[in-house]
């Protein structure tokens, strides 16, 4: 798989002048300062404003979300803020608008939020994270998404595997990947057999890169992947280390979570299927986005035999973990 020389991408037109003109058009007066931030799915910049602190501006990837889906996420973020949850929600202009349009781009303006990643080996951090996510999940029951999708673990994994099998995977590893993908999905189906869960509004991508710790609070950013799903989707990515460490971290998270809601212990069986889902979808995501010039530059190793060898090794380890859990 190679990128096409001379190809163009919609984001190629997102020049500094276009960015600054866009922010000005939304009613935020810029001072010419501009700095790109780490983001690939969308394009995100810190933009200086006259006589006030800079803002963070997200330009949405064309054709990924509908306007209705973006606005639903904005409304939910602002609802969480109204409930005094530490969520970085979009700023509105004088007309109450949060989604703006300029030069064929859609964009949103956020307040700048400082902080650092939470420490997952810090029990106090985990307690606060558990309490905060329980409040989030309780609030989500009051505002269920109507337009944003829901997680379907098996269907999502099958779609990712099918896409990668269509000429994406290195030919030297295609047979192994095909067989391994099928075995993983079969193991997931067995692991999920008989378990049901309530779908709620979840962050969807609740890793430490999307949490900024400041003033003893976790400030959640980037709800771009917010969907309907099980509560465990927002909890399992806060686990690190080996199985024993994960068990202790879950107990600490549950202590904080149960301040507001019963902890979803019955969803513990979802952790490995959700982990496998993330692994499979990541490769499919890179392949889907390979026409974006930023991706070959940022992920040059993706188009290499070494990547596929390592990826298959990781999937084999995940399959072995699930098979151990399936043993009587």
């Amino acid at each position: 798989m190679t990128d096409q020389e001379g190809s163009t991408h919609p984001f190629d037109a997102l020049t500094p002048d276009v960015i600054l003109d866009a922010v000005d058009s939304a009613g935020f007066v810029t001072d010419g300062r501009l700095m790109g931030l780490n983001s690939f799915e969308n394009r995100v910049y810190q933009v200086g404003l006259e006589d006030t602190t800079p803002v963070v501006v997200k330009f949405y990837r064309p054709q990924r979300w509908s306007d209705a889906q973006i606005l639903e996420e904005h409304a939910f973020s602002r609802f969480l803020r109204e409930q005094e949850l530490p969520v970085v929600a979009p700023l509105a202009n004088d007309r109450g608008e949060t989604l703006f349009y300029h030069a064929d781009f859609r964009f949103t303006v956020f307040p700048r939020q400082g902080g650092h990643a939470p420490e997952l080996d810090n029990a106090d951090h985990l307690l606060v994270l558990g309490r905060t996510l329980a409040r989030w999940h309780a609030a989500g029951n009051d505002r269920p998404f109507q337009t944003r999708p829901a997680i379907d673990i098996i269907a999502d994994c099958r779609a990712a595997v099918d896409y990668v099998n269509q000429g994406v995977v290195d030919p030297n590893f295609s047979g192994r990947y095909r067989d391994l993908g099928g075995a993983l999905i079969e193991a997931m189906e067995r692991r999920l057999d008989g378990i049901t869960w309530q779908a709620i509004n979840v962050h969807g991508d609740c890793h430490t890169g999307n949490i900024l710790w400041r003033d003893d609070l976790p400030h959640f950013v980037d709800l771009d992947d917010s969907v309907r799903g099980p509560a465990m989707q927002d909890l399992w990515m806060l686990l690190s280390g080996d199985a024993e460490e994960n068990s202790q971290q879950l107990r600490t998270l549950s202590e904080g979570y149960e301040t507001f809601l019963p902890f979803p212990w019955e969803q513990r069986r979802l952790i490995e299927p959700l982990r496998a889902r993330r692994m499979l979808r990541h490769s499919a995501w890179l392949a889907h986005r390979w026409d974006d010039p930023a991706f070959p530059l940022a992920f040059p190793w993706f188009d290499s035999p070494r990547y596929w060898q390592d990826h298959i090794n990781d999937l084999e380890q995940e399959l072995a973990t699930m098979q151990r859990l399936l043993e009587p």
Side-chain angles (χ1 to χ4, degrees):
M1 183 182 64
T2 59
D3 50 319
Q4 297 178 355
E5 293 185 7
S7 63
T8 60
H9 190 273
F11 281 139
D12 292 343
L14 196 57
T15 63
D17 285 343
V18 169
I19 295 166
L20 295 173
D21 288 346
V23 180
D24 283 330
S25 74
F28 302 87
V29 182
T30 64
D31 63 8
R33 291 177 295 160
L34 180 65
M35 180 174 66
L37 300 178
N38 187 28
S39 178
F40 295 101
E41 182 62 15
N42 303 295
R43 294 294 189 269
V44 181
Y45 304 89
Q46 179 176 292
V47 179
L49 300 185
E50 289 187 358
D51 303 323
T52 188
T53 57
V55 291
V56 173
V57 183
K58 176 196 290 184
F59 288 84
Y60 290 94
R61 179 171 292 274
Q63 300 179 341
R64 182 182 181 219
W65 296 119
S66 68
D67 285 3
Q69 289 170 324
I70 294 173
L71 288 169
E72 187 171 51
E73 180 247 302
H74 289 187
F76 183 61
S77 299
R78 291 169 67 83
F79 170 72
L80 293 175
R81 285 294 301 172
E82 291 168 2
Q83 306 304 306
E84 300 184 345
L85 278 154
V87 173
V88 180
L91 295 172
N93 65 6
D94 293 341
R95 297 184 295 276
E97 299 163 333
T98 58
L99 180 60
F100 310 108
Y101 308 84
H102 181 79
D104 296 326
F105 290 106
R106 297 173 298 171
F107 67 98
T108 297
V109 181
F110 296 88
R112 185 179 64 173
Q113 173 64 53
H116 58 84
E119 301 165 7
L120 299 184
D121 58 353
N122 184 319
D124 290 336
H125 284 201
L126 289 177
L127 282 168
V128 176
L129 284 164
R131 285 198 295 269
T132 307
L133 285 171
R135 290 179 59 208
W136 178 313
H137 293 166
N141 287 334
D142 297 330
R143 293 284 294 266
F145 290 142
Q146 301 299 314
T147 66
R148 295 182 77 84
I151 288 174
D152 184 325
I153 297 176
I154 298 301
D156 293 345
C157 290
R158 200 181 302 280
V161 169
D162 288 347
Y163 185 78
V164 171
N165 274 328
Q166 295 173 15
V168 173
V169 61
D170 185 288
N172 294 311
F173 300 97
S174 59
R176 287 176 62 191
Y177 182 86
R178 182 183 60 252
D179 295 343
L180 182 56
L184 260 174
I185 290 172
E186 181 182 353
M188 279 187 273
E189 288 175 327
R190 292 176 59 198
R191 182 72 175 156
L192 297 173
D193 185 42
I195 182 172
T196 59
W197 64 83
Q198 177 187 4
I200 60 174
N201 291 6
V202 294
H203 182 287
D205 196 23
C206 193
H207 58 78
T208 56
N210 283 333
I211 305 171
L212 296 172
W213 195 271
R214 186 173 183 177
D215 301 327
D216 297 323
L217 285 175
H219 299 268
F220 292 84
V221 300
D222 195 8
L223 275 68
D224 199 54
D225 288 309
S226 190
V227 293
R228 299 281 288 169
M232 191 57 71
Q233 172 66 15
D234 283 345
L235 295 162
W236 80 267
M237 275 189 273
L238 300 177
L239 308 179
S240 63
D242 58 26
E244 183 177 345
E245 290 171 314
N246 285 184
S247 294
Q248 179 57 51
Q249 289 161 344
L250 273 179
R251 287 193 292 270
T252 306
L253 282 168
S254 72
E255 185 178 342
Y257 198 93
E258 288 173 349
T259 306
F260 295 98
L261 287 177
F263 191 76
W265 286 110
E266 72 282 359
Q267 295 182 17
R268 194 169 183 175
R269 284 166 55 189
L270 300 180
I271 293 176
E272 294 309 324
L274 286 169
R275 193 190 313 276
R277 173 182 179 270
R278 184 171 178 82
M279 295 166 68
L280 292 168
R281 281 166 57 88
H282 183 69
S283 289
W285 173 69
L286 289 173
H288 272 293
R289 299 293 183 249
W290 205 244
D291 67 329
D292 182 339
F295 276 69
L297 290 173
F299 309 102
W301 33 260
F302 179 61
D303 196 13
S304 71
R306 177 62 182 272
Y307 170 80
W308 292 104
Q309 177 66 71
D310 291 346
H311 181 50
I312 285 173
N313 288 344
D314 291 341
L315 293 177
E316 287 175 340
Q317 292 178 18
E318 180 60 29
L319 176 60
T321 297
M322 256 190 286
Q323 289 174 334
R324 284 196 300 272
L325 294 171
L326 290 168
E327 292 175 356

